[in-house]
Amino acid sequence: MDDIFTQVREGNAFNVRVWLDNTENDLNKGDDHRFSLLHWAAREGRDNIVDMLIKRGARINATNMGDDTPIHLAAAHGHRDVTLMLLHNKANVNAINEHGNTPLHYACFWGYELIAEDLVNNGALVSVANKCDDVPLDKCKASMAKMLKDRAVALGQDLSKIPFKDRSWLGYKTRSRDAVLSRYTGIDIKELQLVGHIAKTHSGETWRGSWNGNDIVAKILSMAEVSDRNIRDFKEEFPKLRIFNHPNVLAVLGCCAPKDPPDLVVISQFMPFGSLFNTLHGESGIVVDQNQALRFAIDIARGMEFLHSMEPMIPNFILTSKHVMIDEDLAKINVDDPKYTSGDATLNGIDEDLTAKINMADYKFSFHEKGKLFSPAWCSPEALQKAPDTINVRASDMWSFSILLWELETREVPFAELEAMEIGMKVALEGLRLSIPPGISSHMSRLMKICMNEEPGKRPRFDMVIPILEKMKLSG
């Protein structure tokens, strides 16, 4: 297949769909000028491809090197359907590029009256000045300027000129992803710059570092001895963890299997907020209110639904809050919103723009820690009693999800008073179960009980749970 950016520009929807179906392909990567696939689809007016990319999790407000977002390009090239689609999916209507222009500046300059009206109806400000001190109304014919001004006044806009303010320092937050991150699989450990020790656990040591200018996390698996067979199995298994085409799955970028020293290293993108476990029980400073808890639950359910849809399904992954990472939701984040800035240019109040991602770097390799379970509090009773190849993995994951729901609702660590071995024994053999405390909504309580059904076959699927959670979120 030709270059994917060419396929998008030419509107080859079938080829784009085939490309997206390959989980190793990164739909948020950028070209040499950091144009993402969504940038090109918006620029060329490929509304079917725009729709496809958005549904797969493309970043709505990604910026290219000139700080243009996809809606800048759609408005500048007269693609009304695409502009409306982006607005419907929370595009930043007042985003400014390196010249200080908003999408409305371009719609006015090129005389796209309907697009300009759509933008104003969706919150575009008619009084934002660019670097040349021109507001959008300075860029259009008098009749169009009068229509937009009247519309803005009717909507209650203050027409006082808003002077240009350089926000380029914020642009990195929504930049299209460096294509280097998904281009290479085998990585030379000599190229890694490991600068900070994050944690040491039973499964290995985790380090923060950089690779080709990108912040990464390197997990060095704890192995008494690394054999040639281990290295072979490692190289065979890790490619299936390179899942770049779902917004709620955090892909493994690559691996190192050097001979000297004989270490096996899994490399993933650095997430500054850490795990969901840390967010709920550590000192992250993030406020997880009821709405955010539901958003996290929906994110996790969507990620798990995607993993369950894969054939063959990825084995050896245990769903726990420690294996879910928290990231800024770059598909929706609006860096021009005043809440993101303060006098000292720090970020504030960003918790409502966070997203949860299933961390594929926490996959349990077939040769690593065989027969050992280190998170029994989240494991289903049958997973603690039977061999992995004899259980219904999808149903077992749903039990783990119910524990996560309990954790999100109570903000407590499940079975915190017990040691891991005690938990495993009591859940498997003595019927130990979490009790649902009073104060939890009846809808959530009922959902947890259904997901925690003692009969695996009676537990729901994730595609059944997602609409229930979304309805709870809307009613909240």
Side-chain angles (χ1 to χ4, degrees), residues 61-63 67 69 90-96 165-175 328-330 332-342 346-347 350 353:
N61 295 314
T63 55
D67 281 340
T69 64
K90 301 187 179 180
N92 179 7
V93 71
N94 289 305
I96 62 170
K165 181 180 179 182
D166 184 7
R167 299 185 184 92
S168 59
W169 64 274
L170 281 170
Y172 79 94
K173 287 174 60 56
T174 49
R175 196 73 82 199
E328 291 163 333
D329 189 346
L330 297 182
K332 298 181 178 65
I333 201 166
N334 175 353
V335 296
D336 293 311
D337 190 312
K339 75 181 178 183
Y340 287 99
T341 57
S342 66
T346 56
L347 297 174
I350 55 178
D353 291 308

Side-chain angles (χ1 to χ4, degrees), residues 263-379:
D263 286 326
L264 302 180
V265 187
V266 179
I267 299 158
S268 56
Q269 200 170 354
F270 175 68
M271 297 285 108
F273 297 104
S275 69
L276 177 60
F277 185 90
N278 179 65
T279 299
L280 293 174
H281 312 302
E283 296 180 0
S284 64
I286 296 173
V287 177
V288 182
D289 59 16
Q290 189 62 28
N291 283 331
Q292 182 64 75
L294 280 170
R295 281 194 291 269
F296 282 155
I298 292 169
D299 289 342
I300 296 164
R302 285 174 177 161
M304 292 303 296
E305 179 196 20
F306 177 78
L307 294 180
H308 280 189
S309 71
M310 297 178 69
E311 291 293 346
M313 205 173 80
I314 295 174
N316 305 328
F317 181 84
I318 298 174
L319 178 60
T320 81
S321 58
K322 297 174 183 178
H323 299 164
V324 174
M325 303 302 286
I326 303 303
D327 190 16
E328 291 163 333
D329 189 346
L330 297 182
K332 298 181 178 65
I333 201 166
N334 175 353
V335 296
D336 293 311
D337 190 312
K339 75 181 178 183
Y340 287 99
T341 57
S342 66
D344 60 353
T346 56
L347 297 174
N348 298 304
I350 55 178
D351 47 308
E352 70 179 59
D353 291 308
L354 297 178
T355 188
K357 300 188 176 205
I358 311 297
N359 187 15
M360 299 317 297
D362 287 321
Y363 163 85
K364 193 167 179 280
F365 286 91
S366 62
F367 56 84
H368 191 218
E369 301 178 317
K370 282 187 176 181
K372 295 180 181 179
L373 285 174
F374 292 96
S375 301
W378 288 267
C379 292

Side-chain angles (χ1 to χ4, degrees), residues 145 160 253 272 416 429 474:
S160 303
L253 301 177
L429 304 176
L474 288 173

Side-chain angles (χ1 to χ4, degrees), residues 1-4 6-22 25 46-50 52-53 56:
M1 188 183 291
D2 290 340
D3 174 71
I4 187 59
T6 302
Q7 299 291 331
V8 170
R9 285 196 295 270
E10 294 179 352
N12 296 323
F14 176 79
N15 287 348
V16 173
R17 184 177 292 108
V18 170
W19 187 89
L20 288 172
D21 285 341
N22 182 342
N25 290 328
R46 310 298 185 189
D47 52 349
N48 56 338
I49 296 178
V50 169
M52 193 188 312
L53 291 169
R56 297 287 186 115

Side-chain angles (χ1 to χ4, degrees), residues 99-102 105 128-135 139 162-164:
H99 304 295
N101 290 321
T102 66
H105 277 91
V128 174
N130 61 16
K131 276 188 175 180
C132 298
D133 204 38
D134 292 327
V135 300
K139 296 291 186 180
I162 302 171
F164 170 75

